[in-house]
Amino acid sequence: MIFRLGELFCGPGGLAYGAMNAQIENPNFRIVHQWANDYDGDTCETYRHNICPNHPETVYHADIRKFNLKGLPDIDALAFGFPCNDYSVVGEQKGMDGVYGPLYSYGVKVLNLYRPMWFLAENVGGLRNANDGKAFSKILLEMSEAGYTLTPHLYKFEQYGVPQARHRIIIVGIRNDLNVKYHVPSPEPYKDIDNTCKTAIEIPPIPADAFNNEATKQSPTVVKRLNYIKPGENAFTADIPEDLQLHINGAKISQIYKRLDPTKPAYTVTGSGGGGTHIYHWSEPRALTNRERARLQTFPDSYQFIGSKESVRKQIGMAVPCQGAQIIFEAILKSFAGIDYPFVEPNINE
């Protein structure tokens, strides 16, 4: 069975790449691109270039609040990583009261309009706590009322071989009239994978002419500061001379000038933030290149991001790790194909 996939808030294609590359024992079950939407122009160009270069017209560049959801080609599946800004632990956690909070509702509209057989929705772990947990409950209720059996789970992608500690709530919904049961895939098969950030970035070496691999020009002050910060430390935990210390009022975010620990997966790759938030190499006094950051998100080196350096940084940080997405999509395909696989009980708590 071939599932035609529609996507809202598609980003640069992390979910799509995972979906298109999902393979199971029965080759008749697979996922193909049908259409996608995102509000950011560069992001749409990246998606077109890598996911559907022969059908660029199937990617709609539009603000979802002004986008006509009716009249799109039929779909069998829907994926939407609805914007997380208002649910992020780092942000103000405005939840439903923020600009982005209610955007999940457009995914629910598509469910009601097109009745796909299944869907996958993704958001940050902070979604559970926004509006004292009421936002998450409301979202689950509306998805359920659209006619779907839900399996929400907090996926810790580093447990699935991804070289990055990235925790995301993913909700898989199967249409109620289908005799299909989805299970959360077990991380056990991936426990022996070497998913250290050092291995991800260095093996194999990144080609000298790789796309999106421009180095960041670090100021002499930043270079000096980084030389005092050991792997795994940040600007506040390291022993730094007074003249190089940061004097920031309020929260001291632990990722500020934090160097990677080469013996562990990377900390979470983010898409925005000012000085000190670009992820820093464990031994060289510099920020990672976008290509190195893309490797931590498990994009292949052949994946070309379109746009300025800062635009590409944002795209990479907002994406879902391709390999993590592929594992979940393969579990969905196996569920429909009636193929057993090791699974764990769903859990939304840390």
Side-chain angles (χ1 to χ4, degrees):
M1 182 167 198
I2 298 175
F3 296 99
R4 298 164 297 174
L5 180 69
E7 274 195 89
L8 300 180
F9 319 108
C10 64
L15 279 175
Y17 190 85
M20 307 304 131
N21 285 277
Q23 296 179 330
I24 61 171
E25 293 89 331
N26 186 337
N28 294 320
F29 286 80
R30 56 194 179 91
I31 305 166
V32 297
H33 163 79
Q34 180 77 319
W35 51 256
N37 159 261
D38 200 275
Y39 80 106
D40 182 76
D42 287 345
T43 295
C44 289
E45 284 302 318
T46 295
Y47 191 104
R48 292 182 185 111
H49 182 76
N50 295 279
I51 302 299
C52 53
N54 296 325
H55 295 283
E57 74 284 356
T58 61
V59 181
Y60 301 93
H61 173 213
D63 185 326
I64 193 69
R65 291 164 293 194
K66 302 172 183 175
F67 182 49
N68 182 11
L69 292 171
K70 297 177 181 178
L72 292 167
D74 283 339
I75 53 172
D76 308 295
L78 174 70
F80 59 110
F82 53 106
C84 62
N85 311 54
D86 290 323
Y87 301 119
S88 172
V89 174
V90 177
E92 298 178 37
Q93 279 207 296
K94 294 178 181 178
M96 290 295 181
D97 301 322
V99 174
Y100 301 100
L103 295 184
Y104 77 91
S105 63
Y106 292 92
V108 176
K109 286 181 182 178
V110 171
L111 296 180
N112 285 310
L113 280 170
Y114 294 93
R115 307 289 298 144
M117 300 172 76
W118 56 267
F119 75 85
L120 181 153
E122 178 265 349
N123 207 281
V124 291
L127 172 63
R128 297 161 299 166
N129 306 315
N131 300 111
D132 298 319
K134 293 175 184 174
F136 191 39
S137 297
K138 178 177 171 62
I139 290 169
L140 292 178
L141 177 63
E142 292 187 25
M143 291 175 172
S144 178
E145 288 179 342
Y148 292 82
T149 299
L150 310 179
T151 307
H153 182 68
L154 181 70
Y155 291 80
K156 299 180 179 180
F157 282 117
E158 68 274 21
Q159 295 179 353
Y160 291 87
V162 173
Q164 178 194 170
R166 195 177 189 91
H167 300 174
R168 292 293 184 267
I169 289 278
I170 290 181
I171 306 161
V172 172
I174 307 289
R175 208 173 66 206
N176 287 339
D177 62 319
L178 303 173
N179 186 25
V180 175
K181 173 66 175 172
Y182 170 79
H183 296 286
V184 175
S186 170
E188 186 68 17
Y190 310 95
K191 63 182 174 60
D192 294 326
I193 292 176
D194 178 358
N195 67 336
T196 64
C197 56
K198 185 175 191 292
T199 296
I201 288 172
E202 292 188 346
I203 301 176
I206 294 174
D209 59 350
F211 262 74
N212 311 119
N213 201 37
E214 318 91 290
T216 299
K217 294 182 175 66
Q218 307 288 179
S219 72
T221 301
V222 168
V223 172
K224 282 183 189 176
R225 183 180 294 121
L226 287 171
N227 281 326
Y228 284 97
I229 301 174
K230 298 174 183 175
E233 291 184 340
N234 63 42
F236 305 105
T237 58
D239 185 9
I240 300 175
E242 176 69 27
D243 63 318
L244 294 173
Q245 290 178 14
L246 298 178
H247 300 284
I248 300 175
N249 295 323
K252 294 181 177 179
I253 298 173
S254 63
Q255 292 193 12
I256 301 264
Y257 290 110
K258 185 173 183 179
R259 300 193 87 159
L260 294 171
D261 182 336
T263 67
K264 297 178 181 178
Y267 52 91
T268 305
V269 176
T270 56
S272 60
T277 61
H278 291 240
I279 303 191
Y280 293 83
H281 197 277
W282 55 90
S283 62
E284 300 173 23
R286 62 173 180 85
L288 297 189
T289 68
N290 278 327
R291 181 51 55 192
E292 289 170 330
R293 291 157 54 83
R295 278 202 173 185
L296 298 178
Q297 286 278 54
T298 63
F299 283 97
D301 289 348
S302 58
Y303 209 94
Q304 298 180 2
F305 295 86
I306 310 299
S308 68
K309 190 160 167 254
E310 197 55 32
S311 171
V312 169
R313 179 199 172 199
K314 179 181 177 183
Q315 292 176 50
I316 293 169
M318 298 294 275
V320 178
C322 307
Q323 288 180 16
Q326 182 174 335
I327 289 167
I328 298 169
F329 283 121
E330 287 177 347
I332 293 172
L333 291 178
K334 288 177 182 178
S335 299
F336 275 87
I339 298 171
D340 290 333
Y341 57 93
F343 63 87
V344 295
E345 291 301 313
N347 181 9
I348 63 166
N349 300 310
E350 288 285 353

